[in-house]
mmCIF file of all heavy atoms in Angstrom:
data_model
loop_
_atom_site.group_PDB
_atom_site.id
_atom_site.type_symbol
_atom_site.label_atom_id
_atom_site.label_comp_id
_atom_site.label_asym_id
_atom_site.label_seq_id
_atom_site.Cartn_x
_atom_site.Cartn_y
_atom_site.Cartn_z
ATOM 1 N N GLU A 186 0.808 -1.176 0.011
ATOM 2 C CA GLU A 186 0.014 -0.043 0.050
ATOM 3 C C GLU A 186 0.846 1.241 -0.014
ATOM 4 O O GLU A 186 0.607 2.181 -0.736
ATOM 5 C CB GLU A 186 -0.946 -0.021 1.219
ATOM 6 C CG GLU A 186 -1.946 1.181 1.166
ATOM 7 C CD GLU A 186 -2.910 1.130 2.391
ATOM 8 O OE1 GLU A 186 -2.912 0.092 3.026
ATOM 9 O OE2 GLU A 186 -3.692 1.995 2.465
ATOM 10 N N PRO A 187 1.878 1.403 0.742
ATOM 11 C CA PRO A 187 2.682 2.625 0.684
ATOM 12 C C PRO A 187 3.357 2.835 -0.603
ATOM 13 O O PRO A 187 3.550 4.007 -1.198
ATOM 14 C CB PRO A 187 3.758 2.417 1.797
ATOM 15 C CG PRO A 187 3.151 1.516 2.721
ATOM 16 C CD PRO A 187 2.326 0.489 1.969
ATOM 17 N N SER A 188 3.798 1.699 -1.266
ATOM 18 C CA SER A 188 4.417 1.860 -2.529
ATOM 19 C C SER A 188 3.369 2.423 -3.705
ATOM 20 O O SER A 188 3.839 3.218 -4.533
ATOM 21 C CB SER A 188 4.842 0.438 -3.101
ATOM 22 O OG SER A 188 5.919 0.081 -2.129
ATOM 23 N N ALA A 189 2.279 1.895 -3.536
ATOM 24 C CA ALA A 189 1.237 2.432 -4.474
ATOM 25 C C ALA A 189 0.892 3.898 -4.247
ATOM 26 O O ALA A 189 0.762 4.591 -5.283
ATOM 27 C CB ALA A 189 -0.111 1.571 -4.356
ATOM 28 N N VAL A 190 0.942 4.309 -2.971
ATOM 29 C CA VAL A 190 0.645 5.716 -2.785
ATOM 30 C C VAL A 190 1.837 6.578 -3.272
ATOM 31 O O VAL A 190 1.592 7.662 -3.898
ATOM 32 C CB VAL A 190 0.548 5.947 -1.218
ATOM 33 C CG1 VAL A 190 0.350 7.360 -0.907
ATOM 34 C CG2 VAL A 190 -0.764 5.153 -0.823
ATOM 35 N N ASP A 191 3.065 6.079 -3.083
ATOM 36 C CA ASP A 191 4.233 6.783 -3.598
ATOM 37 C C ASP A 191 4.207 6.921 -5.049
ATOM 38 O O ASP A 191 4.593 7.928 -5.537
ATOM 39 C CB ASP A 191 5.601 6.152 -3.144
ATOM 40 C CG ASP A 191 5.715 6.181 -1.606
ATOM 41 O OD1 ASP A 191 5.058 7.026 -1.033
ATOM 42 O OD2 ASP A 191 6.435 5.359 -0.980
ATOM 43 N N ALA A 192 3.854 5.791 -5.795
ATOM 44 C CA ALA A 192 3.844 5.794 -7.203
ATOM 45 C C ALA A 192 2.748 6.739 -7.690
ATOM 46 O O ALA A 192 2.975 7.526 -8.747
ATOM 47 C CB ALA A 192 3.509 4.386 -7.772
ATOM 48 N N ALA A 193 1.599 6.869 -7.150
ATOM 49 C CA ALA A 193 0.686 7.770 -7.489
ATOM 50 C C ALA A 193 0.997 9.241 -7.268
ATOM 51 O O ALA A 193 0.819 10.119 -8.115
ATOM 52 C CB ALA A 193 -0.721 7.502 -6.727
ATOM 53 N N ALA A 194 1.761 9.436 -6.161
ATOM 54 C CA ALA A 194 2.283 10.819 -5.807
ATOM 55 C C ALA A 194 3.318 11.285 -6.866
ATOM 56 O O ALA A 194 3.409 12.382 -7.351
ATOM 57 C CB ALA A 194 2.851 10.909 -4.476
ATOM 58 N N SER A 195 4.209 10.078 -7.266
ATOM 59 C CA SER A 195 5.262 10.472 -8.193
ATOM 60 C C SER A 195 4.651 10.813 -9.577
ATOM 61 O O SER A 195 5.066 11.770 -10.197
ATOM 62 C CB SER A 195 6.141 9.317 -8.320
ATOM 63 O OG SER A 195 7.235 9.536 -9.322
ATOM 64 N N THR A 196 3.641 9.997 -9.954
ATOM 65 C CA THR A 196 2.980 10.200 -11.183
ATOM 66 C C THR A 196 2.232 11.599 -11.239
ATOM 67 O O THR A 196 2.305 12.343 -12.220
ATOM 68 C CB THR A 196 1.925 9.161 -11.492
ATOM 69 O OG1 THR A 196 2.505 7.922 -11.436
ATOM 70 C CG2 THR A 196 1.220 9.417 -12.931
ATOM 71 N N LYS A 197 1.790 12.056 -10.175
ATOM 72 C CA LYS A 197 1.117 13.353 -10.024
ATOM 73 C C LYS A 197 1.996 14.414 -10.161
ATOM 74 O O LYS A 197 1.837 15.501 -10.803
ATOM 75 C CB LYS A 197 0.381 13.359 -8.684
ATOM 76 C CG LYS A 197 -0.471 14.650 -8.538
ATOM 77 C CD LYS A 197 -1.190 14.697 -7.241
ATOM 78 C CE LYS A 197 -2.021 15.921 -7.081
ATOM 79 N NZ LYS A 197 -2.791 16.021 -5.829
ATOM 80 N N ARG A 198 3.273 14.191 -9.587
ATOM 81 C CA ARG A 198 4.348 15.286 -9.628
ATOM 82 C C ARG A 198 4.862 15.420 -11.103
ATOM 83 O O ARG A 198 5.329 16.356 -11.537
ATOM 84 C CB ARG A 198 5.441 14.944 -8.608
ATOM 85 C CG ARG A 198 5.048 15.222 -7.199
ATOM 86 C CD ARG A 198 6.329 15.296 -6.363
ATOM 87 N NE ARG A 198 7.105 14.054 -6.407
ATOM 88 C CZ ARG A 198 6.847 12.992 -5.535
ATOM 89 N NH1 ARG A 198 5.940 13.047 -4.638
ATOM 90 N NH2 ARG A 198 7.448 11.971 -5.650
ATOM 91 N N ALA A 199 4.997 14.259 -11.824
ATOM 92 C CA ALA A 199 5.633 14.175 -13.062
ATOM 93 C C ALA A 199 4.641 14.798 -14.157
ATOM 94 O O ALA A 199 5.024 15.252 -15.139
ATOM 95 C CB ALA A 199 5.818 12.743 -13.502
ATOM 96 N N THR A 200 3.366 14.738 -13.887
ATOM 97 C CA THR A 200 2.381 15.278 -14.865
ATOM 98 C C THR A 200 2.255 16.743 -14.601
ATOM 99 O O THR A 200 1.668 17.079 -13.495
ATOM 100 C CB THR A 200 1.036 14.566 -14.686
ATOM 101 O OG1 THR A 200 1.264 13.135 -14.884
ATOM 102 C CG2 THR A 200 0.033 15.089 -15.789
ATOM 103 N N PRO A 201 2.542 17.516 -15.575
ATOM 104 C CA PRO A 201 2.433 19.088 -15.376
ATOM 105 C C PRO A 201 0.963 19.464 -15.416
ATOM 106 O O PRO A 201 0.096 18.855 -16.121
ATOM 107 C CB PRO A 201 3.139 19.721 -16.508
ATOM 108 C CG PRO A 201 3.080 18.732 -17.618
ATOM 109 C CD PRO A 201 3.250 17.284 -16.823
ATOM 110 N N GLN A 202 0.674 20.422 -14.571
ATOM 111 C CA GLN A 202 -0.625 20.924 -14.473
ATOM 112 C C GLN A 202 -0.816 22.058 -15.432
ATOM 113 O O GLN A 202 -0.141 23.125 -15.180
ATOM 114 C CB GLN A 202 -1.044 21.314 -13.068
ATOM 115 C CG GLN A 202 -0.996 20.126 -12.051
ATOM 116 C CD GLN A 202 -2.133 19.086 -12.356
ATOM 117 O OE1 GLN A 202 -3.101 19.349 -12.764
ATOM 118 N NE2 GLN A 202 -1.627 17.785 -12.256
ATOM 119 N N HIS A 203 -1.669 21.995 -16.481
ATOM 120 C CA HIS A 203 -1.822 23.067 -17.351
ATOM 121 C C HIS A 203 -2.893 23.989 -16.978
ATOM 122 O O HIS A 203 -4.046 23.525 -16.829
ATOM 123 C CB HIS A 203 -2.150 22.458 -18.810
ATOM 124 C CG HIS A 203 -1.056 21.679 -19.387
ATOM 125 N ND1 HIS A 203 0.147 22.163 -19.862
ATOM 126 C CD2 HIS A 203 -0.828 20.306 -19.411
ATOM 127 C CE1 HIS A 203 0.960 21.238 -20.279
ATOM 128 N NE2 HIS A 203 0.309 20.069 -20.071
ATOM 129 N N PRO A 204 -2.584 25.201 -16.700
ATOM 130 C CA PRO A 204 -3.724 26.155 -16.384
ATOM 131 C C PRO A 204 -4.717 26.373 -17.607
ATOM 132 O O PRO A 204 -4.258 26.274 -18.711
ATOM 133 C CB PRO A 204 -2.975 27.443 -15.889
ATOM 134 C CG PRO A 204 -1.735 27.297 -16.642
ATOM 135 C CD PRO A 204 -1.324 25.891 -16.695
ATOM 136 N N SER A 205 -5.844 26.647 -17.394
ATOM 137 C CA SER A 205 -6.751 27.008 -18.439
ATOM 138 C C SER A 205 -6.458 28.423 -19.071
ATOM 139 O O SER A 205 -6.236 29.300 -18.386
ATOM 140 C CB SER A 205 -8.232 26.991 -17.848
ATOM 141 O OG SER A 205 -8.370 27.945 -16.930
ATOM 142 N N HIS A 206 -6.360 28.361 -20.356
ATOM 143 C CA HIS A 206 -6.076 29.618 -21.148
ATOM 144 C C HIS A 206 -7.383 30.208 -21.752
ATOM 145 O O HIS A 206 -7.665 29.997 -22.865
ATOM 146 C CB HIS A 206 -5.060 29.323 -22.163
ATOM 147 C CG HIS A 206 -3.680 28.861 -21.772
ATOM 148 N ND1 HIS A 206 -2.840 29.740 -21.198
ATOM 149 C CD2 HIS A 206 -3.167 27.627 -21.682
ATOM 150 C CE1 HIS A 206 -1.743 29.039 -20.860
ATOM 151 N NE2 HIS A 206 -1.854 27.760 -21.109
ATOM 152 N N ASP A 207 -8.083 30.808 -20.887
ATOM 153 C CA ASP A 207 -9.277 31.493 -21.342
ATOM 154 C C ASP A 207 -8.967 32.839 -21.974
ATOM 155 O O ASP A 207 -8.171 33.530 -21.584
ATOM 156 C CB ASP A 207 -10.285 31.734 -20.131
ATOM 157 C CG ASP A 207 -10.715 30.409 -19.541
ATOM 158 O OD1 ASP A 207 -10.778 29.360 -20.375
ATOM 159 O OD2 ASP A 207 -11.012 30.381 -18.372
ATOM 160 N N LEU A 208 -9.679 33.166 -23.147
ATOM 161 C CA LEU A 208 -9.442 34.384 -23.790
ATOM 162 C C LEU A 208 -9.959 35.437 -22.941
ATOM 163 O O LEU A 208 -10.991 35.361 -22.362
ATOM 164 C CB LEU A 208 -10.111 34.247 -25.173
ATOM 165 C CG LEU A 208 -9.655 33.330 -26.200
ATOM 166 C CD1 LEU A 208 -10.461 33.391 -27.421
ATOM 167 C CD2 LEU A 208 -8.244 33.679 -26.548
ATOM 168 N N PRO A 209 -9.361 36.578 -23.044
ATOM 169 C CA PRO A 209 -9.701 37.661 -22.228
ATOM 170 C C PRO A 209 -10.936 38.337 -22.860
ATOM 171 O O PRO A 209 -11.244 38.164 -23.990
ATOM 172 C CB PRO A 209 -8.573 38.793 -22.334
ATOM 173 C CG PRO A 209 -7.822 38.333 -23.558
ATOM 174 C CD PRO A 209 -8.014 36.819 -23.764
ATOM 175 N N ASP A 210 -11.697 39.077 -22.036
ATOM 176 C CA ASP A 210 -12.977 39.725 -22.540
ATOM 177 C C ASP A 210 -12.581 40.772 -23.602
ATOM 178 O O ASP A 210 -13.570 41.005 -24.524
ATOM 179 C CB ASP A 210 -13.797 40.289 -21.393
ATOM 180 C CG ASP A 210 -14.149 39.266 -20.458
ATOM 181 O OD1 ASP A 210 -14.381 38.138 -20.772
ATOM 182 O OD2 ASP A 210 -14.365 39.598 -19.206
ATOM 183 N N GLU A 211 -11.502 41.400 -23.522
ATOM 184 C CA GLU A 211 -11.122 42.448 -24.417
ATOM 185 C C GLU A 211 -9.823 42.097 -25.102
ATOM 186 O O GLU A 211 -8.959 41.446 -24.470
ATOM 187 C CB GLU A 211 -11.078 43.877 -23.704
ATOM 188 C CG GLU A 211 -12.296 44.348 -23.171
ATOM 189 C CD GLU A 211 -12.134 45.695 -22.579
ATOM 190 O OE1 GLU A 211 -11.016 46.141 -22.536
ATOM 191 O OE2 GLU A 211 -13.286 46.175 -22.072
ATOM 192 N N PRO A 212 -9.571 42.551 -26.404
ATOM 193 C CA PRO A 212 -8.258 42.312 -27.081
ATOM 194 C C PRO A 212 -7.141 42.919 -26.383
ATOM 195 O O PRO A 212 -7.271 43.993 -25.800
ATOM 196 C CB PRO A 212 -8.516 42.743 -28.497
ATOM 197 C CG PRO A 212 -9.564 43.734 -28.365
ATOM 198 C CD PRO A 212 -10.500 43.225 -27.252
ATOM 199 N N LEU A 213 -6.008 42.255 -26.275
ATOM 200 C CA LEU A 213 -4.793 42.843 -25.671
ATOM 201 C C LEU A 213 -4.163 43.893 -26.533
ATOM 202 O O LEU A 213 -3.640 44.860 -26.051
ATOM 203 C CB LEU A 213 -3.740 41.752 -25.392
ATOM 204 C CG LEU A 213 -4.122 40.580 -24.478
ATOM 205 C CD1 LEU A 213 -3.108 39.473 -24.421
ATOM 206 C CD2 LEU A 213 -4.643 41.113 -23.046
ATOM 207 N N VAL A 214 -4.235 43.703 -27.849
ATOM 208 C CA VAL A 214 -3.690 44.660 -28.738
ATOM 209 C C VAL A 214 -4.607 44.993 -29.881
ATOM 210 O O VAL A 214 -5.355 44.111 -30.428
ATOM 211 C CB VAL A 214 -2.353 44.106 -29.412
ATOM 212 C CG1 VAL A 214 -1.758 45.190 -30.439
ATOM 213 C CG2 VAL A 214 -1.296 43.865 -28.419
ATOM 214 N N ILE A 215 -4.793 46.223 -30.103
ATOM 215 C CA ILE A 215 -5.733 46.765 -31.155
ATOM 216 C C ILE A 215 -4.989 47.442 -32.256
ATOM 217 O O ILE A 215 -4.292 48.486 -31.892
ATOM 218 C CB ILE A 215 -6.900 47.622 -30.571
ATOM 219 C CG1 ILE A 215 -7.667 46.880 -29.575
ATOM 220 C CG2 ILE A 215 -7.794 48.129 -31.692
ATOM 221 C CD1 ILE A 215 -8.716 47.750 -28.847
ATOM 222 N N ILE A 216 -5.024 46.969 -33.446
ATOM 223 C CA ILE A 216 -4.325 47.699 -34.493
ATOM 224 C C ILE A 216 -5.341 48.614 -35.183
ATOM 225 O O ILE A 216 -6.293 48.257 -35.806
ATOM 226 C CB ILE A 216 -3.795 46.617 -35.562
ATOM 227 C CG1 ILE A 216 -2.893 45.679 -34.820
ATOM 228 C CG2 ILE A 216 -3.153 47.376 -36.766
ATOM 229 C CD1 ILE A 216 -2.310 44.571 -35.865
#
């Protein structure tokens, strides 16, 4: 049981967490 917990924690650390890239309400640059 401890080994399984460690493997799950290691997998969680190895997988990067991608934050959500929501578009802003207004454009950043207006030409």
Side-chain angles (χ1 to χ4, degrees):
E186 185 176 357
S188 300
V190 173
D191 294 340
S195 176
T196 304
K197 184 177 181 181
R198 287 193 301 269
T200 304
Q202 299 295 320
H203 297 284
S205 60
H206 296 283
D207 296 332
L208 294 176
D210 296 333
E211 298 182 356
L213 300 178
V214 178
I215 301 177
I216 301 176

